[in-house]
Amino acid sequence: MKNQETRGFQSEVKQLLHLMIHSLYSNKEIFLRELISNASDAADKLRFRALSMPELYAGDAVLRVRVSVDKEKRTLTLSDNGIGMSYDEVIDNLGTIAKSGTKNFLASLGSDQAKDSQLIGQFGVGFYSAFIVADKVTVRTRAAGEPTDAGVFWESAGEGDYTIATIPKEDRGTEITLHLREGEDEYLDNWKIRSVIKKYSDHIELPVEIENKTKVEPAVETKKDENVDADNESVVDAEASDDTAQDPPVPNETEETVTWEPINKAKALWLRSKSEIKDEEHKEFYKHISHDFNDPLVWSHNRVEGKQDYTSLLYIPKQAPWDLWNREHKHGLKLYVQRVFIMDEAEQFLPNYLRFTRGLVDSNDLPLNVSRELLQDTKITQNLRSALTKRVLKMLTDLAEKDSEKYQQFWQQFGLVLKEGPAEDHANKESMTKLLRFASTHNDSSEQTISLEDYKGRMTAEQDKIYFITADSYTAANSSPHLELFRKKGVEVLLLSDRIDEWMMSHLTEFEGKAFQSVSQVDDSLKKLADEETPEQQAAEKALAPCIERVKTLLGDRVKDVRLTHRLTGTPAIVTTDSNEMGTQMAKLFTAAGQKAPEVKYILELNPEHELVKRVAKTEDESQFAEWVELFFEQALLTERGTLDNPSQFMNRMNKLLLSA
Ligand code: ADP
């Protein structure tokens, strides 16, 4: 060993190891899946590199991973002939965690064991999972293409630090030895190892082989049974040995021959015929490629020949990954070309709003030497992207039709991401719009379960638009005075309160011929909904006309207009905007994004049937009148925007009026 040194783990690694050992204990056998998964990735990487540098194989092109045990030493060893690691790579890969956002993620753990194990599973524990069953792990590795004296030794007890050194290593690739913890002897049992590997690794392409030791009795021993096999050749050989006939020999050490027995199917799952693949295998394959511990929710496997020639295997996770909202994290499919792994996280094949999709595409049309840059602008990529986008949407549409409960599960996890769709993808707007789910006045709960098809089916005869309201929270939307008329008329309104909703709605114009209409915007279709004006209402309007003029003069250009409305029942005043003007929520989005939004010009609408309005209309004292009008205006703004520019002014006015009452 040369250049031996001891190094400390990055603090995140220490934290992860600690949490993992405790929270994944009931799931410990997954370490085999993780290590074999890594070996399979290492084989994929070598195959890819060898496309341009075949000499990397160095005469050993049959890739595999081998598993063996040593019962005396109580070790389990996995040895692959994949890409291997250099000294620096070992330090980077087995001493740190490169994922951005790790610190925050880890900080969120530690209170609830069951929850933690779920989250850690989503985070992906990989190599470090070896420490669930081992109290010491030794790695010997050599990167493909490096000389035999450039091997690397790494060893750690999984606590604060590890030892690293340069060693000679004959074969390329990585050998990982687990020194099993007390009580983990079941992983010394061939039968146990086989069954775990079969379960977890049947679907990966890399052959997994297990060591079979056959004891070969030393030839001399057969002498005792000479009569059985008198003219056996070995007997002749034995006689040539130095043992004598009358003195039975002390038995020689039993000789062992070692053979390697393949224990998985070792055929890439997506290349097998669809009908032959069991659900269980899909679930395991998904875990292999996604590093997720959960089963997938649904999947879709397709082979396409003809103008395009590709196979795709797409999975929708059950749970959002921990870094779904991390902008630095690339989300994409695994790309294979003619069965050779090319790259991970190829984000070119799906739009952003479907970034929760995991899986792979194996293309026969792309060149093997394709790079990320090249992928960006080939026609083949564009065609694949369009086809795969449709596949994912179809998979979700089918799920929504066949299993609404599961679809709801999907929506809860990924609805917010899908809502980016209308702005991003015009071509598929129609199918995507059907996938959206909303809260609505038709429902008592804040859960988003209503589809536009549901809504359309319930539209009333006089109704020709789809009404919605956007607000900061479900409660604010659901209690908005804008809904008073709709409630009275039994017309359903969609209640939108996610931050992205206003943005999404600005990209949705219609659904199956029905236009979307915000209820906080002035709109002619409302006239149709409202009752014919009664003679009393007409009289009230006439009587209040001078009052409206007074209000207009008072508020001046702070409002766009002042009107009377018959849409309200329990509220004296509201503000609305013109259909062609920016609405409240959109203005908020601009502000939140740090941009200056044009000032929203509101129309103040007064309810002539409200007692307060009637009373104020009769107030002759101009300054008292002004106090009331300001109060109506402030109240209306408060319900509309949830905030006021000057809340204390509003409170003072209110208190003054209360005192004078
Ligand atoms: P992940 O596989 O999610 O990246 P791991 O902790 O399992 O995380 O592994 C970290 C890195 O170590 C891998 O990305 C890979 O570069 C390297 N590595 C792990 N196992 C092997 C192996 N058997 N051969 C070569 N490199 C490996």
Side-chain angles (χ1 to χ4, degrees):
M1 271 202 233
K2 284 196 291 196
N3 314 324
Q4 182 172 337
E5 57 173 319
T6 303
R7 287 173 160 255
F9 281 122
Q10 180 196 26
S11 61
E12 283 92 326
V13 176
K14 272 188 272 182
Q15 241 178 312
L16 176 70
L17 281 167
H18 178 80
L19 283 163
M20 186 191 64
I21 292 166
H22 291 94
S23 57
L24 290 183
Y25 197 73
S26 55
N27 215 350
K28 57 190 168 184
E29 64 185 26
I30 53 95
F31 79 90
L32 268 170
R33 173 180 80 203
E34 299 293 307
L35 297 181
I36 289 174
S37 196
N38 279 349
S40 160
D41 291 346
D44 277 346
K45 286 180 197 160
L46 177 60
R47 266 189 223 109
F48 174 64
R49 289 265 302 281
L51 287 174
S52 51
M53 284 198 282
E55 65 275 15
L56 287 180
Y57 282 131
D60 179 15
V62 185
L63 304 184
R64 43 72 192 155
V65 55
R66 290 178 161 168
V67 185
S68 59
V69 297
D70 184 327
K71 292 199 169 149
E72 263 149 47
K73 294 194 181 128
R74 302 189 57 258
T75 59
L76 170 68
T77 299
L78 288 97
S79 167
D80 69 59
N81 55 353
I83 190 86
M85 284 177 272
S86 68
Y87 194 90
D88 289 344
E89 284 168 339
V90 170
I91 292 176
D92 282 348
N93 294 333
L94 310 186
T96 63
I97 301 174
K99 302 174 194 173
S100 64
T102 303
K103 236 192 183 79
N104 290 341
F105 168 75
L106 289 170
S108 71
L109 302 181
S111 45
D112 174 346
Q113 193 141 322
K115 202 179 114 235
D116 286 357
S117 69
Q118 274 284 325
L119 287 170
I120 288 188
Q122 285 164 262
F123 177 79
V125 289
F127 168 78
Y128 300 110
S129 64
F131 288 101
I132 308 175
V133 295
D135 50 18
K136 187 166 81 177
V137 176
T138 312
V139 179
R140 291 181 185 82
T141 183
R142 175 161 69 79
E146 294 292 322
T148 49
D149 61 1
V152 186
F153 171 92
W154 180 101
E155 191 168 80
S156 174
E159 279 155 11
D161 52 25
Y162 60 90
T163 305
I164 184 165
T166 307
I167 49 160
K169 187 175 185 289
E170 228 16 75
D171 325 311
R172 160 198 81 222
T174 305
E175 180 195 279
I176 300 176
T177 300
L178 284 69
H179 306 262
L180 297 174
R181 287 178 194 277
E182 196 82 42
E184 301 299 353
D185 290 28
E186 58 177 329
Y187 296 107
L188 295 171
D189 175 28
N190 256 14
W191 184 85
K192 170 74 183 179
I193 298 170
R194 252 169 230 261
S195 78
V196 176
I197 291 179
K198 193 99 189 102
K199 173 166 156 203
Y200 287 137
S201 311
D202 228 6
H203 51 268
I204 66 166
E205 199 176 3
L206 186 71
V208 183
E209 300 173 348
I210 194 161
E211 185 185 49
N212 256 339
K213 286 190 190 142
T214 342
K215 287 190 179 152
V216 178
E217 302 288 297
V220 66
E221 304 248 305
T222 58
K223 230 177 153 184
K224 292 179 200 155
D225 307 320
E226 226 171 343
N227 49 345
V228 180
D229 206 353
D231 56 358
N232 191 308
E233 249 187 89
S234 62
V235 176
V236 178
D237 283 349
E239 271 173 344
S241 76
D242 58 359
D243 293 321
T244 58
Q246 73 270 69
D247 222 356
V250 193
N252 276 353
E253 252 185 44
T254 329
E255 284 176 27
E256 284 181 331
T257 54
V258 172
T259 52
W260 294 96
E261 183 197 345
I263 47 177
N264 62 340
K265 286 202 183 87
K267 181 162 182 197
L269 185 87
W270 67 97
L271 299 174
R272 287 164 50 191
S273 88
K274 234 168 128 166
S275 56
E276 179 200 304
I277 307 172
K278 295 193 203 84
D279 287 1
E280 238 6 87
E281 292 178 298
H282 268 300
K283 290 177 188 170
E284 285 311 325
F285 185 72
Y286 164 76
K287 290 173 190 170
H288 163 60
I289 57 166
S290 68
H291 298 279
D292 185 354
F293 277 32
N294 287 304
D295 290 339
L297 194 65
V298 268
W299 55 85
S300 165
H301 177 200
N302 294 285
R303 167 112 199 79
V304 176
E305 280 165 283
K307 217 165 75 193
Q308 296 181 82
D309 190 346
Y310 69 90
T311 304
S312 64
L313 187 46
L314 305 166
Y315 296 91
I316 306 293
K318 222 177 230 170
Q319 258 197 325
W322 66 286
D323 57 354
L324 182 69
W325 298 100
N326 184 341
R327 286 188 184 278
E328 282 165 59
H329 186 87
K330 281 209 179 103
H331 301 272
L333 301 179
K334 262 181 189 285
L335 172 66
Y336 288 75
V337 171
Q338 295 158 44
R339 306 182 44 195
V340 180
F341 167 78
I342 305 290
M343 66 180 82
D344 272 314
E345 313 290 5
E347 74 273 30
Q348 295 84 350
F349 296 101
L350 285 173
N352 235 329
Y353 75 96
L354 299 178
R355 64 178 176 273
F356 46 78
T357 312
R358 310 306 301 259
L360 61 90
V361 54
D362 185 350
S363 161
N364 282 336
D365 304 320
L366 285 166
L368 274 164
N369 62 357
V370 68
S371 63
R372 259 181 214 276
E373 294 69 42
L374 206 87
L375 264 188
Q376 214 83 53
D377 37 45
T378 85
K379 186 90 187 127
I380 302 168
T381 309
Q382 285 163 22
N383 290 340
L384 275 171
R385 180 185 170 104
S386 145
L388 296 175
T389 302
K390 290 199 165 61
R391 284 260 175 252
V392 177
L393 291 173
K394 167 95 172 45
M395 171 163 50
L396 293 173
T397 307
D398 289 349
L399 182 68
E401 277 166 17
K402 289 187 195 124
D403 192 337
S404 57
E405 212 170 287
K406 258 194 186 171
Y407 185 76
Q408 210 47 48
Q409 223 178 320
F410 159 78
W411 182 260
Q412 268 173 15
Q413 294 293 319
F414 301 112
L416 275 180
V417 185
L418 205 67
K419 282 180 174 185
E420 297 170 11
E424 193 185 353
D425 183 359
H426 299 275
N428 294 296
K429 211 182 256 183
E430 201 180 310
S431 51
M432 183 196 323
T433 313
K434 283 191 187 157
L435 291 172
L436 300 173
R437 294 294 180 269
F438 302 87
S440 110
T441 49
H442 196 82
N443 212 341
D444 286 338
S445 108
S446 61
E447 259 187 77
Q448 299 172 4
T449 54
I450 308 285
S451 74
L452 290 170
E453 280 162 320
D454 297 336
Y455 183 100
K456 204 173 158 223
R458 287 194 286 261
M459 280 172 74
T460 63
E462 313 84 65
Q463 187 186 351
D464 40 39
K465 289 191 175 179
I466 299 173
Y467 295 104
F468 69 93
I469 181 165
T470 48
D472 283 345
S473 67
Y474 168 78
T475 316
N478 194 32
S479 55
S480 166
H482 288 297
L483 300 181
E484 288 176 9
L485 170 74
F486 297 88
R487 287 232 157 84
K488 195 166 112 193
K489 293 282 158 186
V491 172
E492 184 170 4
V493 178
L494 302 174
L495 306 171
L496 287 83
S497 53
D498 285 326
R499 243 179 104 177
I500 188 168
D501 284 340
E502 183 70 28
W503 176 246
M504 171 180 77
M505 293 314 290
S506 72
H507 288 89
L508 287 178
T509 42
E510 53 108 48
F511 173 72
E512 295 182 346
K514 302 288 177 195
F516 287 101
Q517 176 64 50
S518 160
V519 299
S520 61
Q521 290 192 317
V522 176
D523 165 50
D524 282 345
S525 75
L526 296 183
K527 287 195 188 127
K528 233 167 119 185
L529 282 184
D531 295 319
E532 285 275 310
E533 278 190 14
T534 59
E536 292 81 48
Q537 282 175 334
Q538 284 170 355
E541 270 179 43
K542 220 170 178 180
L544 281 174
C547 166
I548 294 294
E549 285 313 311
R550 276 170 85 191
V551 178
K552 274 188 196 167
T553 321
L554 197 82
L555 293 178
D557 62 3
R558 285 193 284 156
V559 289
K560 190 167 178 186
D561 198 6
V562 182
R563 299 175 190 161
L564 290 174
T565 180
H566 299 297
R567 281 195 287 148
L568 298 173
T569 48
T571 310
I574 49 168
V575 288
T576 55
T577 48
D578 255 340
S579 316
N580 54 357
E581 292 234 14
M582 175 175 289
T584 308
Q585 292 301 320
M586 187 56 100
K588 278 191 186 173
L589 273 187
F590 271 85
T591 318
Q595 291 179 35
K596 196 171 155 35
E599 196 193 340
V600 182
K601 278 280 177 169
Y602 289 108
I603 300 163
L604 177 67
E605 301 195 11
L606 297 171
N607 173 5
E609 267 127 294
H610 200 281
E611 277 314 311
L612 274 180
V613 177
K614 285 186 195 163
R615 243 209 267 169
V616 173
K618 287 185 205 132
T619 309
E620 271 165 28
D621 180 286
E622 208 47 49
S623 82
Q624 219 179 358
F625 180 80
E627 284 293 290
W628 278 109
V629 171
E630 293 291 349
L631 187 73
F632 287 154
F633 189 41
E634 280 168 333
Q635 279 187 352
L637 285 174
L638 186 57
T639 26
E640 179 64 19
R641 301 198 299 212
T643 56
L644 283 175
D645 291 341
N646 190 344
S648 49
Q649 179 181 298
F650 168 70
M651 294 311 294
N652 287 341
R653 206 189 308 281
M654 183 91 142
N655 292 339
K656 220 161 91 190
L657 285 166
L658 283 173
L659 280 175
S660 72

